[in-house]
Amino acid sequence: MNATILNRIVLAAVIGSVLGFGLGAPSSAHAQAQATRDQQTSEEDQSEQAGVRKNREKREARAAQAAEANRANGDAIRAAAEENRGRAQAEARQRDNAQRQAEQAQRSRTEDRGARRDERQELYRQQQSQQAQQAQRDAAQAREQKARQARDQQERSRDRQDRYSPDQTVRDREQANTTRDRRDRDDDRNRDSSRRGQWGSKLETQQRIEQQRNQAERYQREQRASQDRTRRDAITLQNQGRTSQYRYHQDYYSRLRQYNQRYDWQRYDYYNDPYFYSAPSYRYQRDGRYYNINRYAADMLQQAINYGYAEGIRAGRADRYDRWRYSYRDSFAYRDASYGYRGMYVSQFDYNYYFRQGFQRGYEDGYYGRRHYGRQYNGSDAILGTVLSLILNLQPYRY
């Protein structure tokens, strides 16, 4: 009995233990599984957070790279814009320079046309004056011939009267002697005038004086009217940055004003100027025509060539110092071409023409820094005599 009970107790205990172990094992396994899941969850959270941080860092790096690229693009765009602006400004300056050069060329052509028109008008007036002088000479010869015929007729009449009136014949002879004496005295005065160099009659001399006075007055008016052009040229040179050429411009017009102020056409003593009483002694050819001049006019043309050469030397040297292009026609001194001119002896067109011939050669020597067409003598630049002869080609002329 007791053994049975004891066995039952033991069996119950064993069963209880087994049941207790069986019930406790799942709980422990569940706890371990929960701990494992919590650990995995924590690791996943940490990994996720690390991934988020990495993604954020990648986004921030990409954003920084994009910002840097945007800045670089912006700098490149600004540099391109600056380059385009500089190119546009350079093109604008080139267009302005081309426009100014075109305007200057147009002004030069206009001035040349005006000069040629004035030359044609002056030539026409000279032709008219020569025709009038020829007509006067023809009229004087006709009068002289009529007077000779009248004297011959009077002498024939006196010869006829000698046969009938001795007293009348004596009176006629006395009157004829008086007339002959007066004519001889006039011839002596004319010969004396010729020995002094007088050329032509008093009327012709007066006409030459009036012509030269009008020419000098016209030249002075043109010089006063050119002051605005002088100021425009100075402003243009300053805008172009041509320092050496600007200094030469100021020096040229200062010397030109001083030269012109030394001569006053209104107060000049034309009647004591030997030019108006000197016959032509030279001739030169230009544009297929011959022109007769005396030695004073010849000296003036030679002076124009030498002055032009000296001014060309200075202008060419200034352009070389400024590193400017070779362009003698654009020079203000070439366009003016009147330094040394007084409005007398030769026409302004002739003086301008030969001044520019010398200027062109002087500019070439000055620009290239050489002495091909001239030389320096006593501190002054002068064109070679052989070159001057080729340009002007003066020939002796017997009036």
Side-chain angles (χ1 to χ4, degrees), residues 309 313 320 361-362 364-374:
Y309 178 79
I313 284 277
R320 175 162 58 92
R361 291 161 174 82
E364 183 175 334
D365 281 356
Y367 191 85
Y368 293 112
R370 66 188 187 189
R371 294 282 179 178
H372 182 70
Y373 296 103

Side-chain angles (χ1 to χ4, degrees), residues 133 136 197-212 270-271 273 275-278:
Q133 294 174 4
Q136 292 174 357
Q198 184 169 348
W199 173 47
S201 64
K202 292 182 179 180
L203 178 60
E204 292 171 344
T205 301
Q206 182 64 33
Q207 289 176 347
R208 285 194 293 271
I209 290 175
E210 289 299 325
Q211 177 186 357
Q212 293 292 308
Y270 293 88
Y271 292 95
D273 191 332
Y275 164 80
F276 299 101
Y277 307 96
S278 299

Side-chain angles (χ1 to χ4, degrees), residues 145-398:
Q145 185 176 2
K146 289 181 180 179
R148 192 181 302 110
Q149 292 175 354
R151 287 194 299 270
D152 294 340
Q153 186 176 2
Q154 289 177 358
E155 290 178 357
R156 287 194 296 270
S157 298
R158 283 195 298 270
D159 291 339
R160 287 194 299 269
Q161 291 175 0
D162 286 344
R163 303 173 184 175
Y164 307 102
S165 177
D167 295 335
Q168 183 67 30
T169 300
V170 172
R171 287 193 298 270
D172 292 340
R173 286 177 178 174
E174 291 176 353
Q175 185 178 1
N177 292 332
T178 303
T179 303
R180 190 180 301 107
D181 293 339
R182 188 183 299 113
R183 188 167 59 250
D184 292 340
R185 286 195 300 271
D186 292 339
D187 293 339
D188 292 338
R189 282 196 298 271
N190 291 332
R191 284 192 293 271
D192 291 339
S193 298
S194 299
R195 284 193 294 271
R196 290 197 303 270
Q198 184 169 348
W199 173 47
S201 64
K202 292 182 179 180
L203 178 60
E204 292 171 344
T205 301
Q206 182 64 33
Q207 289 176 347
R208 285 194 293 271
I209 290 175
E210 289 299 325
Q211 177 186 357
Q212 293 292 308
R213 183 183 285 115
N214 294 334
Q215 184 172 279
E217 179 184 5
R218 184 169 60 252
Y219 169 71
Q220 293 296 330
R221 287 199 307 266
E222 291 176 356
Q223 285 298 309
R224 288 191 295 269
S226 66
Q227 294 178 359
D228 293 337
R229 185 184 64 190
T230 303
R231 287 191 291 269
R232 289 196 302 270
D233 288 341
I235 294 172
T236 299
L237 293 174
Q238 287 179 324
N239 293 335
Q240 293 173 343
R242 300 167 64 183
T243 306
S244 299
Q245 195 64 244
Y246 175 77
R247 286 198 295 266
Y248 169 62
H249 174 276
Q250 298 298 100
D251 176 68
Y252 176 82
Y253 279 107
S254 176
R255 289 184 289 108
L256 181 63
R257 284 192 300 270
Q258 293 175 2
Y259 188 90
N260 290 334
Q261 289 173 359
R262 284 183 288 179
Y263 300 98
D264 186 357
W265 64 271
Q266 294 176 322
R267 299 180 180 179
Y268 188 75
D269 189 1
Y270 293 88
Y271 292 95
N272 285 329
D273 191 332
Y275 164 80
F276 299 101
Y277 307 96
S278 299
S281 53
Y282 298 97
R283 72 171 184 172
Y284 64 95
Q285 186 180 19
R286 180 171 54 80
D287 296 334
R289 295 188 56 187
Y290 281 100
Y291 299 88
N292 303 326
I293 55 176
N294 59 23
R295 62 187 182 90
Y296 299 98
D299 291 342
M300 180 63 68
L301 294 180
Q302 291 176 341
Q303 171 185 294
I305 297 173
N306 274 304
Y307 278 172
Y309 178 79
E311 298 302 329
I313 284 277
R314 297 186 180 98
R317 188 180 296 130
D319 277 347
R320 175 162 58 92
Y321 290 160
D322 290 333
R323 299 183 180 275
W324 196 253
R325 64 183 180 276
Y326 180 95
S327 180
Y328 67 88
R329 292 182 180 274
D330 293 337
S331 175
F332 47 87
Y334 179 86
R335 296 197 304 272
D336 178 73
S338 63
Y339 181 77
Y341 185 61
R342 294 183 295 159
M344 294 175 57
Y345 296 176
V346 298
S347 69
Q348 186 174 357
F349 180 86
D350 280 353
Y351 192 92
N352 295 157
Y353 175 83
Y354 287 105
F355 183 96
R356 288 167 181 153
Q357 291 293 314
F359 185 95
Q360 176 182 351
R361 291 161 174 82
Y363 182 94
E364 183 175 334
D365 281 356
Y367 191 85
Y368 293 112
R370 66 188 187 189
R371 294 282 179 178
H372 182 70
Y373 296 103
R375 60 187 177 89
Q376 194 172 44
Y377 181 74
N378 290 336
S380 300
D381 296 305
I383 200 166
L384 294 175
T386 54
V387 179
L388 189 146
S389 298
L390 290 174
I391 296 174
L392 187 56
N393 191 21
L394 283 177
Q395 301 174 7
Y397 174 77
R398 184 175 181 83

